[in-house]
Each structure stands twice: as structure tokens, then as C-alpha cells.
Amino acid sequence: MRRGFAFLAALVAWSGLALQLVLIIQTMAADGVAAALWRYVGFFTILTNLFVAVVATAMALRPGSRLAAPAVRLSAATSIAFVGIVYSVALRSTHTFTGWGAVANHALHDATPLLFLIAWLLAGHGGLKWRDALWALVPPLAYCLYAFARGAADGWYAYWFLNPRAMPLPTLAGSIAVLTAAVFAIALALTAVDRWLGRRLPV
């Protein structure tokens, strides 16, 4: 069951990523494939789903590999949970998707977070230390730097709450601080669950 849910999470993530790639290439056909690919990898949702797809694949096919290690699973689970929460709280109401766009949207923001979190819960537990929660901050903080560098280069920002052109610097700093605190809270909560389960189940 552990590997089955991991495989299902990987399948949904890879399928959602592939579908979204096709859709964005079609939407930006006039700009060319290179421009579409550049826009595609500008979203935290895409990069996180890619991370999760790789980790879930490793959990399904090579559960003893480094890509399926407890700290890596925690980082992936934290980031994808963050994606689902932020999308539902701040972004879901900003746009209505239809057709295949709705399918891709639900796969990346709803199905993959849920399935991967289930796969994470079913995986072995008890291998995390509290300091491992700090490593879960690396992907979102690295994305912030990446997003700012991209935006400075081409003027496009994937998310309004990370757009320095749309808000004063103190507001932007506050936004980043709140998001970082939210990620850390998720990581700590998952670490607590891991340690609790580890006292009752084998790693």
C-alpha cells in the first residue's frame, strides 16, 4: 500500500505536469516553445509538483534511495502542502478554469497534495529530528530568490504577493515573513506527526 499510493501520487503529478506543459505551449504558441517553457518553470506550483513527482517515484520504485529519505520526503510534503493551502486561501478565487485547464489545475493543486500527503503518512516514520524542519524551508526560500531574479530580468512575476513592483518593500518583506512562518509551521507539524508515529510504528 505504501508503494502503491506513492506510485499513484507520482502518476497524478507527472500527468498534471505534462498536461499543464501542453496547455501553456498551446496558449503561448505565438511566443514560441522556449518562451512557454520559461514561463512554465516560473511557477512554484510547477517546480514543487516536479519535486514531488521525483520523490514519489523514488518512494514507489526505490524506497531505500536518498531521494526517498525521511528529510527529503518531509521537504516535499511540506512544499506540496503549502501549495495546496496557499492556492485554496489566496489564489483559487482569482481565476476560473475550464476543460483540460481545470483538470490540470485540480491535479497540481488538489489531487497531488492530497495523494502525496497520504503516501507520506503511509511511509516509514520516526527518522526525523526537529532540525530537519529547517531543511523544508530551503525550496520556498530558494524559489523567492529565483522569482525575484526572473522578475528583474523579464518583468514577470508568477504571484502577486511576491511582486516588488506591486507593493512597498516593507509589505513585501512582511509577505515573505508570513509565508516562511507558514512553511515552517507545516514542517514542524509534519515532523511532530512523524515522531509520534515513529513511537508506534517501525521506521
Side-chain angles (χ1 to χ4, degrees), residues 156-169:
W156 178 81
Y157 295 87
Y159 306 103
W160 59 266
F161 47 79
L162 291 179
N163 185 353
R165 300 182 180 185
M167 63 183 72
L169 184 58

Side-chain angles (χ1 to χ4, degrees), residues 73-94:
R73 297 198 310 264
L74 172 67
S75 184
T78 299
S79 289
I80 199 65
F82 180 71
V83 163
I85 292 170
V86 170
Y87 181 76
S88 294
V89 172
L91 299 173
R92 190 180 299 275
S93 62
T94 63

Side-chain angles (χ1 to χ4, degrees), residues 73-155:
R73 297 198 310 264
L74 172 67
S75 184
T78 299
S79 289
I80 199 65
F82 180 71
V83 163
I85 292 170
V86 170
Y87 181 76
S88 294
V89 172
L91 299 173
R92 190 180 299 275
S93 62
T94 63
H95 191 80
T96 300
F97 294 92
T98 60
W100 287 112
V103 174
N105 181 64
H106 286 304
L108 299 175
H109 293 107
D110 300 316
T112 298
L114 178 60
L115 290 171
F116 187 77
L117 287 173
I118 293 174
W120 181 84
L121 283 171
L122 292 174
H125 291 285
L128 291 177
K129 298 177 175 60
W130 288 111
R131 65 174 177 267
D132 290 324
L134 292 172
W135 287 106
L137 295 175
V138 173
L141 290 178
Y143 176 79
C144 284
L145 297 176
Y146 169 66
F148 294 147
R150 282 180 58 106
D154 61 17

Side-chain angles (χ1 to χ4, degrees):
M1 185 177 289
R2 289 180 179 183
R3 299 177 73 169
F5 261 100
F7 177 80
L8 183 58
L11 179 63
V12 172
W14 286 121
S15 298
L17 287 165
L19 178 57
Q20 187 60 63
L21 178 59
V22 171
L23 292 173
I24 201 167
I25 289 175
Q26 291 177 345
T27 301
M28 298 182 63
D31 299 306
V33 174
L37 287 172
W38 177 240
R39 179 64 58 88
Y40 178 75
V41 296
F43 294 93
F44 183 68
T45 293
I46 295 297
L47 297 176
T48 299
N49 271 269
L50 181 59
F51 179 29
V52 164
V54 171
V55 174
T57 300
M59 290 168 64
L61 302 180
R62 297 186 62 191
S65 68
R66 290 184 178 181
L67 284 174
V72 179
R73 297 198 310 264
L74 172 67
S75 184
T78 299
S79 289
I80 199 65
F82 180 71
V83 163
I85 292 170
V86 170
Y87 181 76
S88 294
V89 172
L91 299 173
R92 190 180 299 275
S93 62
T94 63
H95 191 80
T96 300
F97 294 92
T98 60
W100 287 112
V103 174
N105 181 64
H106 286 304
L108 299 175
H109 293 107
D110 300 316
T112 298
L114 178 60
L115 290 171
F116 187 77
L117 287 173
I118 293 174
W120 181 84
L121 283 171
L122 292 174
H125 291 285
L128 291 177
K129 298 177 175 60
W130 288 111
R131 65 174 177 267
D132 290 324
L134 292 172
W135 287 106
L137 295 175
V138 173
L141 290 178
Y143 176 79
C144 284
L145 297 176
Y146 169 66
F148 294 147
R150 282 180 58 106
D154 61 17
W156 178 81
Y157 295 87
Y159 306 103
W160 59 266
F161 47 79
L162 291 179
N163 185 353
R165 300 182 180 185
M167 63 183 72
L169 184 58
T171 303
L172 177 64
S175 177
I176 294 173
V178 169
L179 294 174
T180 301
V183 171
F184 193 46
I186 294 170
L188 287 174
L190 292 177
T191 301
V193 170
D194 173 85
R195 293 168 67 87
W196 181 77
L197 289 175
R199 291 193 293 269
R200 288 156 177 79
L201 301 170
V203 177

